[in-house]
Amino acid sequence: MDLDAQFTRTADHGSQQHQLWKRFKKQKVLHVFVGLGMIFLLIFSYTPMFGILMAFKDYSISNGIKGIFTSEWVGLKYFDEFIHDYQFAKIVRNTLVLSLLKVIFAFPAPILLAILLNEVKNMAFKRFVQTISYLPHFISWVVVVGVSYAFLSADVGMVNRALVEAGFIDKPLNILTSPNYFWGLAAGSAIWKEMGWWTIIFLAAITGINPSLYEAAEIDGAGRLARIRHITLPGMKGTIVVVLVLTIGSILGGGLVGSNFEQAYLYGNSINNPTSEIVQTYAFKVGLSDGRFSYAAAIDLIQSVISVILIFSSNFIAKRVSGSSLF
């Protein structure tokens, strides 16, 4: 009896292996694509993580790659140095304020735009607005900053000239150089650039809602705002939670619209430095300009650890509060 059972298990196992191999051969093209993606991640995402060791060592670029492993171990020396740096409070404040502004204003913006577009019945106008709104996503930040100079410069900016000629202001505003305007400039330009792109995600979530729900609500006398509140928003809940978790996890990099570094580096100058200097630009400057790679690695590692903690914490809270989560 035992031999028969063992033979049956062996036969079933062999059949399963045959089915797996048959399915693998049928999907071999897909497996090739997956394999290429895994190789890409291994080479460009996981292999460079050996560089984290620099944060704990007295590394010099003259030692090459071998120096990452052979340099003197200094422990938490550079972490302590960054925390006690005289600019620490300023750059952490700037990073957090800029990131929070983007989360507060950039996160609801594509949700609102998606809901508004969903209510538009004229399909031609709807497609036109969608196209116009997501085109800025494909423009590099270098071009965006160049356009900003053409519009907002105190000397030749079209906006300043129009405001002065209309009598709204007495003299041009130093929007691009004043520390008082940098946070608003960065948040506003980021929303303009990325809002339309993220609207596509939320429109896709709305598309998945059963149209019969709207029809039933309309028959019951529910108005447009009531349908949005009780059907559209609940139907988007899962997507909203996932995007929110990803946004909070990457909040130090700019959240939903990202590019804190590019904005701070391109818009930043010696005049607006009190509000434009952030963790990423500071690490970039001390790492490349001063050649302090270990110090820069320590700064970036602190930011990465905080981001990981934030994404796990936000996912846990979202799962407890809404029942939806990223993982």
Side-chain angles (χ1 to χ4, degrees):
M1 193 71 178
D2 293 339
L3 290 175
D4 290 341
Q6 185 176 359
F7 177 78
T8 302
R9 285 197 299 269
T10 304
D12 290 341
H13 182 67
S15 177
Q16 289 176 359
Q17 286 185 327
H18 177 73
Q19 291 295 329
L20 285 173
W21 176 245
K22 187 177 179 180
R23 188 167 58 181
F24 178 83
K25 288 176 65 177
K26 187 177 180 180
Q27 300 174 342
K28 60 183 178 182
V29 177
L30 300 177
H31 286 289
V32 169
F33 278 104
V34 172
L36 291 174
M38 293 177 67
I39 292 171
F40 178 86
L41 288 174
L42 179 65
I43 295 174
F44 294 102
S45 297
Y46 287 95
T47 303
M49 289 181 70
F50 286 109
I52 292 175
L53 290 172
M54 286 193 297
F56 304 94
K57 295 196 170 190
D58 190 13
Y59 174 76
S60 173
I61 190 65
S62 60
N63 296 327
I65 296 177
K66 184 177 69 174
I68 297 175
F69 305 96
T70 59
S71 299
E72 180 186 357
W73 187 273
V74 294
L76 302 177
K77 171 186 174 182
Y78 294 112
F79 296 90
D80 182 70
E81 182 179 346
F82 174 59
I83 292 173
H84 290 91
D85 191 292
Y86 74 96
Q87 297 188 78
F88 177 77
K90 179 189 77 173
I91 62 179
V92 170
R93 180 206 63 188
N94 293 343
T95 305
L96 291 176
V97 170
L98 182 57
S99 298
L100 287 173
L101 283 174
K102 288 184 177 182
V103 171
I104 293 170
F105 294 104
F107 181 71
I111 299 174
L112 178 61
L113 181 58
I115 292 173
L116 293 175
L117 286 175
N118 184 60
E119 296 298 319
V120 174
K121 303 305 179 185
N122 188 323
M123 295 306 296
F125 178 73
K126 182 178 180 179
R127 285 194 291 267
F128 173 75
V129 173
Q130 278 187 265
T131 303
I132 293 300
S133 64
Y134 72 66
L135 278 179
H137 170 78
F138 300 99
I139 303 174
S140 72
W141 274 109
V142 176
V143 176
V144 172
V145 172
V147 172
S148 299
Y149 272 87
F151 278 89
L152 303 174
S153 171
D155 300 325
V156 296
M158 296 171 58
V159 173
N160 268 316
R161 289 175 59 184
L163 291 175
V164 171
E165 291 176 4
F168 291 108
I169 54 176
D170 297 326
K171 58 180 181 178
L173 302 173
N174 296 315
I175 299 174
L176 297 173
T177 55
S178 173
N180 299 326
Y181 295 113
F182 175 77
W183 291 338
L185 173 65
S189 59
I191 294 170
W192 170 80
K193 187 175 184 299
E194 299 294 342
M195 178 176 65
W197 179 255
W198 283 98
T199 298
I200 298 173
I201 305 296
F202 295 112
L203 274 174
I206 294 174
T207 304
I209 300 173
N210 191 342
S212 63
L213 296 175
Y214 291 101
E215 296 171 4
E218 193 170 357
I219 292 172
D220 289 341
R224 181 168 292 182
L225 291 178
R227 294 197 298 271
I228 291 173
R229 179 183 176 186
H230 297 289
I231 299 175
T232 306
L233 287 175
M236 298 169 66
K237 184 179 73 172
T239 304
I240 291 173
V241 169
V242 170
V243 174
L244 180 60
V245 170
L246 292 174
T247 299
I248 294 176
S250 59
I251 188 173
L252 297 181
L256 189 71
V257 292
S259 303
N260 269 2
F261 169 76
E262 293 180 34
Q263 286 185 291
Y265 188 74
L266 294 171
Y267 280 122
N269 50 62
S270 58
I271 303 175
N272 64 18
N273 182 269
T275 55
S276 66
E277 187 77 284
I278 60 174
V279 172
Q280 293 95 326
T281 55
Y282 180 70
F284 178 78
K285 290 172 183 176
V286 298
L288 290 185
S289 301
D290 301 340
R292 304 189 63 195
F293 295 95
S294 293
Y295 186 45
I299 296 172
D300 285 332
L301 183 56
I302 291 174
Q303 178 178 297
S304 299
V305 170
I306 293 173
S307 297
V308 170
I309 294 172
L310 285 173
I311 198 168
F312 276 96
S313 302
S314 58
N315 185 77
F316 175 79
I317 294 171
K319 192 171 184 178
R320 284 296 184 92
V321 173
S322 67
S324 300
S325 62
L326 180 60
F327 49 85

